[in-house]
């Protein structure tokens, strides 16, 4: 969700976040970089599966390098435009972590191919929505309508009009009747698609019975959808009504974070409260999914190994073999 001022673009805020049509140093289109990385992942996985002439491990290593480079290109947006410390740090950390993952794969850690498959599938879920206009428009406008309905349940009915991204996604609060004179509009990141892609990729990548995979997927998508709408309603109301425009908060944000005074409520609600709660929510959703599909612990163990260099047995630690339906883990 991005903030806006009625009828004008907001300085320092992109209409719909960074688009894949922007370029890396004016030479390499970022959409191409993302698709090349996903294609390289796919070729590496196909080479390994069918034992063809494609050198799977080196190609997967290159794919991880490209994937990390893509995230590095997002740092200026997260730092300057979005002013999000959490996303900036994660984007900066992505390149060295991806390089290390690629190195481990190249060196023979075959178990990382499950994580590689999960990331490739995440990209196949997310990138079409980002790059196909009609899909992006439907997701954004549908989320805007649902968020507006949530506001109405709480006694607010601002209406929806066209945001600076060209979609019917802006909540039409009257700037003369709100504390900040600002409102927000829905962008692709507000649809929850990123989190859905993460779980979709993880669930699709592991070997497990289809029934359990579909159950886990439905649970994850349903919970993320509900929590994401609650998040959008919170930010959509906090921004115009200035819920966090207290003097001490405004002073800290404008002095040390370079924020515009009228954006403080938006930045606190979006970049701090919502993003921190999103991390907690993802951990909670992961726990619920693991109870149904403990197989996803395998790629998660690989993530922990990359981060710490230590082998973990999450299944034993979480007693994940016992599922919520009373059964046991199937081969």
């Amino acid at each position: 969700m991005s903030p806006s001022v009625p009828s004008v673009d907001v300085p320092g805020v992109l209409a719909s976040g960074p688009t894949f049509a922007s370029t890396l140093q004016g030479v390499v289109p970022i959409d191409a970089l993302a698709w090349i990385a996903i294609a390289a992942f796919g070729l590496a996985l196909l080479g390994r599966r069918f034992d063809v002439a494609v050198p799977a491990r080196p190609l997967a290593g290159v794919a991880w390098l490209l994937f990390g480079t893509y995230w590095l290109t997002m740092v200026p947006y997260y730092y300057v435009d979005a002013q999000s410390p959490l996303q900036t740090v994660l984007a900066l950390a992505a390149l060295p972590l991806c390089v290390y993952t690629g190195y481990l794969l190249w060196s023979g850690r075959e178990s990382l191919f499950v994580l590689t498959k999960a990331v490739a599938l995440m990209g196949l879920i997310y990138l079409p929505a980002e790059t196909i206009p009609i899909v992006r428009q439907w997701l954004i406008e549908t989320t805007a309508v649902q968020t507006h309905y949530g506001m109405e349940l709480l006694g607010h009915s601002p209406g929806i009009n066209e945001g600076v991204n060209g979609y019917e996604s802006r909540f039409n609060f009257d700037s003369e009747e709100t504390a900040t004179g600002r409102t927000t509009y829905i962008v692709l990141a507000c649809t929850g698609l990123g989190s859905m892609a993460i779980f979709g990729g993880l669930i699709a990548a592991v070997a497990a019975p289809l029934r359990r995979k579909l159950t886990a997927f439905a649970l994850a998508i349903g919970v993320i959808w509900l929590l994401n709408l609650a998040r959008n309603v919170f930010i959509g109301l906090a921004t115009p009504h200035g819920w966090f425009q207290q003097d001490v908060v405004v002073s800290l944000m404008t002095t040390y974070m370079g924020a515009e005074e009228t954006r403080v409520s938006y930045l606190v609600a979006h970049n701090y409260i919502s993003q921190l709660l999103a991390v907690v929510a993802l951990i909670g959703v992961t726990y619920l999914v693991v109870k149904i599909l403990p197989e996803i612990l395998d790629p998660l163990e690989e993530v922990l190994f990359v981060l710490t260099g230590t082998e973990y047995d999450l299944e034993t630690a979480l007693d994940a073999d016992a599922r919520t339906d009373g059964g046991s883990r199937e081969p």
Side-chain angles (χ1 to χ4, degrees):
M1 181 175 288
S2 290
S4 69
V5 175
S7 302
V8 297
D9 290 349
V10 182
V13 179
L14 296 182
S16 57
T19 67
F20 285 92
S22 57
T23 58
L24 172 61
Q25 296 178 347
V27 177
V28 181
I30 294 181
D31 59 343
L33 182 61
W35 279 112
I36 290 170
I38 297 303
F41 280 133
L43 287 174
L45 291 167
L46 287 173
R48 181 172 184 268
R49 179 177 178 83
F50 296 106
D51 195 25
V52 296
V54 177
R57 290 205 307 269
L59 184 55
V62 171
W64 277 103
L65 173 61
L66 291 172
F67 190 62
T69 302
Y70 160 72
W71 285 110
L72 184 64
T73 66
M74 305 295 282
V75 170
Y77 166 73
Y78 290 137
Y79 181 73
V80 178
D81 297 306
Q83 296 182 324
S84 172
L86 177 61
Q87 289 176 303
T88 301
V89 170
L90 291 176
L92 282 171
L95 180 59
L97 289 174
C98 286
V99 169
Y100 183 51
T101 303
Y103 166 76
L104 290 173
L105 253 176
W106 199 316
S107 301
R109 189 175 175 85
E110 294 281 328
S111 54
L112 278 168
F113 270 109
V114 178
L115 181 60
T116 299
K117 182 179 180 181
V119 171
L121 292 170
M122 291 174 198
L124 289 178
I125 295 171
Y126 186 85
L127 286 179
E130 171 65 30
T131 56
I132 300 174
I134 191 172
V135 177
R136 184 170 64 249
Q137 179 176 356
W138 180 83
L139 283 171
I140 290 173
E141 293 187 347
T142 299
T143 301
V145 170
Q146 294 173 345
T147 301
H148 190 271
Y149 178 71
M151 292 180 177
E152 288 182 323
L153 293 178
L154 297 177
H156 302 269
S157 186
I160 301 175
N161 61 10
E162 185 176 299
V164 296
N165 55 9
Y167 303 135
E168 293 293 319
S169 61
R170 176 183 175 276
F171 303 112
N172 192 27
F173 284 98
D174 188 339
S175 61
E176 300 296 328
E177 297 181 1
T178 56
T180 63
R182 287 182 179 267
T183 186
T184 54
Y185 59 97
I186 298 294
V187 297
L188 187 63
C190 307
T191 64
L193 181 64
S195 297
M196 294 177 188
I198 290 173
F199 283 97
L202 286 171
I203 291 167
V206 299
L210 181 60
R211 178 180 58 83
R212 283 201 286 118
K213 292 175 76 168
L214 291 176
T215 301
F217 181 75
L219 173 66
I221 298 306
V223 173
I224 291 170
W225 174 73
L226 286 173
L227 292 177
N228 184 66
L229 286 181
R231 164 190 174 274
N232 287 342
V233 171
F234 168 62
I235 298 169
L237 294 177
T239 298
H241 296 304
W243 289 355
F244 303 103
Q245 294 296 128
Q246 293 82 5
D247 291 343
V248 63
V249 178
V250 171
S251 177
L252 288 172
M253 292 293 293
T254 55
T255 303
Y256 299 104
M257 302 303 295
E260 295 177 50
E261 182 175 342
T262 56
R263 291 190 77 210
V264 168
S265 277
Y266 167 77
L267 292 173
V268 172
H270 184 277
N271 291 357
Y272 294 91
I273 296 176
S274 292
Q275 288 183 1
L276 289 176
L277 288 178
V279 174
V280 176
L282 287 177
I283 294 172
V285 174
T286 301
Y287 176 78
L288 294 175
V289 171
V290 164
K291 299 299 287 184
I292 299 171
L293 194 71
E295 287 85 353
I296 71 164
L297 290 175
D298 294 337
L300 295 180
E301 287 172 353
E302 292 303 311
V303 172
L304 289 176
F305 180 81
V306 171
L307 291 173
T308 67
T310 302
E311 300 283 1
Y312 290 88
D313 184 354
L314 293 179
E315 184 173 314
T316 299
L318 299 176
D319 191 23
D321 189 62
R323 301 199 316 275
T324 55
D325 62 4
S328 60
R329 180 167 173 169
E330 300 176 34

